[in-house]
Amino acid sequence: MKKSISLVATGMIALSVLAGCGNKEEASGGSNGKVKIEFLEYKSEAKGTFSELAKKFEKENPNIDIVVTNPPDSVTVLKTRVAKRDLPDVIGMGGDVSYAEISKAGALKDVSKDSALNDIQPAYIDMLKDISKQDKVYGIPYAANANAVIYNKTIFKELGIEVPTTWEEFIAAAEKVKAAGKIPFYFTFKDAWTALPAYNVLAANTQGDDFFKKLDKGDTKFAEGHKEAAEKLLTLLKYGHKDQNGKAYNDGNVAFAKGESAMYLQGIWAIPEIKKANPNIEVGVFPYPIGDSKVVSGVDLLLAQSSTTEHPKEAKKFIEFLLSDENMKEYLTQQNAFSAKKGIVQEAPELEGLKASFEKGAVVDFPDHYVPTAVALDKQLQVLTQKKDAKQYLKTLDTEWEKVANRK
């Protein structure tokens, strides 16, 4: 990275940290005598939901105030605050490589023996252990998301398209949509991360078992394990629209809601935004018909308590409040997510197409959760969508991965 860019980035982070410090000071206590707990959560779309739940908690606990913070680029802000030991009391983050880094830094409380884990589906606990390469657990898995093909049921009916169950049928469906003069897939690569949902599924179902364990040992490379995924992604791009790299995530949600494409390769978290834009849209989902057709589903949100909080009892009480069946159902309903907790079922009719996969355990973790931030998988994918050079893309991934490995 050029020095000038680095300095700009550092300045932005510094500003974020100052804002974070202000929140921390506010959360540590106040003139009203109440205990203030800062809850930093990384999902911008969930801030409203958590603010509502925080108000509900405060009514039940009048001596505790919850300050919900959701800064831009919240994970970067959190890492900076970890380095400065200026931690929020409660943290809501994804079960990915950032969780691994922050837990190894000693910033999170060990909850391996917390009884709350007894109610969590074991697969999600195992995912946290696999990602962090630790036997201990430093957060309670809360919600799981899934990547799926979101489709417009009305367009499928009009064109007589059945939900595809094989890759060949999937491409045939795209061909049929294209032949009808409509857009098969809407892409939004102006936001680099939006290439990840489709790529995660393609990679997870083609890379083979234990790909990242083998990669760590030097027994394989991206050029081998991710070749098919990269090529299949490029195949899907042929059925997109003009200016795929000029459209952003919000553009895609609105365009799909207005019926501009038959399918949308996004996570199920996009559905609430789509329905906001068009409450009358008939939308459904189905697993990508590739390989074993496993649905990519990982720990989208975990709840962790900082190891340095001055109010551990109050922080734990708030986490327990969020984990209650009633409040978890409220979150799942508003955010269109799946529960990491046993016995809580997502009843949204538009997600019916994924229920069978969850019931039979045909799920696999997000591959990008295992890729270090420094590799910049999303940015590499963005370049792939522009240059459409799979060989160079895979070579770059291997080079960047080796750089990170050599620094360990």
Side-chain angles (χ1 to χ4, degrees), residues 191-230:
D191 288 328
W193 71 267
T194 63
L196 286 169
Y199 188 78
N200 271 328
V201 181
L202 297 174
N205 282 282
T206 60
Q207 67 187 11
D209 296 335
D210 300 328
F211 171 74
F212 284 101
K213 289 182 180 179
K214 293 177 181 177
L215 193 63
D216 278 337
K217 295 177 182 178
D219 293 338
T220 190
K221 290 181 176 293
F222 282 103
E224 299 169 10
H226 279 212
K227 182 174 183 290
E228 185 176 351

Side-chain angles (χ1 to χ4, degrees), residues 129-180:
K129 291 180 179 179
D130 287 343
I131 289 167
S132 68
K133 300 175 185 176
Q134 300 177 91
D135 290 330
K136 293 183 178 180
V137 181
Y138 296 88
I140 310 294
Y142 191 71
N145 260 322
N147 291 342
V149 179
I150 304 173
Y151 73 104
N152 186 312
K153 289 186 173 182
T154 301
I155 293 177
F156 266 49
K157 289 176 185 175
E158 289 175 352
L159 299 180
I161 299 174
E162 298 289 332
V163 170
T165 58
T166 67
W167 181 258
E168 291 72 25
E169 290 176 358
F170 190 33
I171 298 303
E175 287 281 6
K176 194 166 187 177
V177 174
K178 188 175 181 179

Side-chain angles (χ1 to χ4, degrees), residues 185-196:
F185 304 114
Y186 203 94
F187 295 113
T188 57
F189 300 136
K190 184 177 181 180
D191 288 328
W193 71 267
T194 63
L196 286 169

Side-chain angles (χ1 to χ4, degrees), residues 57-265:
F57 176 83
E58 289 170 344
K59 285 182 180 180
E60 297 177 10
N61 300 272
N63 295 322
I64 304 174
D65 279 347
I66 303 295
V67 179
V68 179
T69 58
N70 178 250
D73 202 5
S74 56
V75 175
T76 298
V77 172
L78 179 59
K79 288 180 180 179
T80 306
R81 292 182 62 176
V82 167
K84 292 179 174 290
R85 308 306 287 178
D86 169 38
L87 296 170
D89 302 282
V90 178
I91 298 164
M93 66 182 302
D96 53 18
V97 70
S98 294
Y99 158 77
E101 295 169 358
I102 292 172
S103 64
K104 287 177 181 177
L108 309 178
K109 179 185 176 183
D110 180 1
V111 294
S112 303
K113 297 182 180 180
D114 194 315
S115 60
L117 286 180
N118 296 334
D119 296 327
I120 303 300
Q121 297 182 45
Y124 294 118
I125 298 173
D126 290 341
M127 286 179 186
L128 293 187
K129 291 180 179 179
D130 287 343
I131 289 167
S132 68
K133 300 175 185 176
Q134 300 177 91
D135 290 330
K136 293 183 178 180
V137 181
Y138 296 88
I140 310 294
Y142 191 71
N145 260 322
N147 291 342
V149 179
I150 304 173
Y151 73 104
N152 186 312
K153 289 186 173 182
T154 301
I155 293 177
F156 266 49
K157 289 176 185 175
E158 289 175 352
L159 299 180
I161 299 174
E162 298 289 332
V163 170
T165 58
T166 67
W167 181 258
E168 291 72 25
E169 290 176 358
F170 190 33
I171 298 303
E175 287 281 6
K176 194 166 187 177
V177 174
K178 188 175 181 179
K182 299 179 181 293
I183 298 170
F185 304 114
Y186 203 94
F187 295 113
T188 57
F189 300 136
K190 184 177 181 180
D191 288 328
W193 71 267
T194 63
L196 286 169
Y199 188 78
N200 271 328
V201 181
L202 297 174
N205 282 282
T206 60
Q207 67 187 11
D209 296 335
D210 300 328
F211 171 74
F212 284 101
K213 289 182 180 179
K214 293 177 181 177
L215 193 63
D216 278 337
K217 295 177 182 178
D219 293 338
T220 190
K221 290 181 176 293
F222 282 103
E224 299 169 10
H226 279 212
K227 182 174 183 290
E228 185 176 351
E231 291 174 347
K232 278 185 161 53
L233 179 63
L234 292 182
T235 296
L236 297 179
L237 299 192
K238 297 176 183 178
Y239 299 96
H241 51 92
K242 294 181 180 179
D243 198 22
Q244 296 178 3
N245 290 89
K247 302 297 183 181
Y249 174 61
N250 290 334
D251 298 325
N253 292 339
V254 173
F256 180 77
K258 291 181 177 179
E260 291 186 27
S261 73
M263 292 172 278
Y264 192 33
L265 305 180

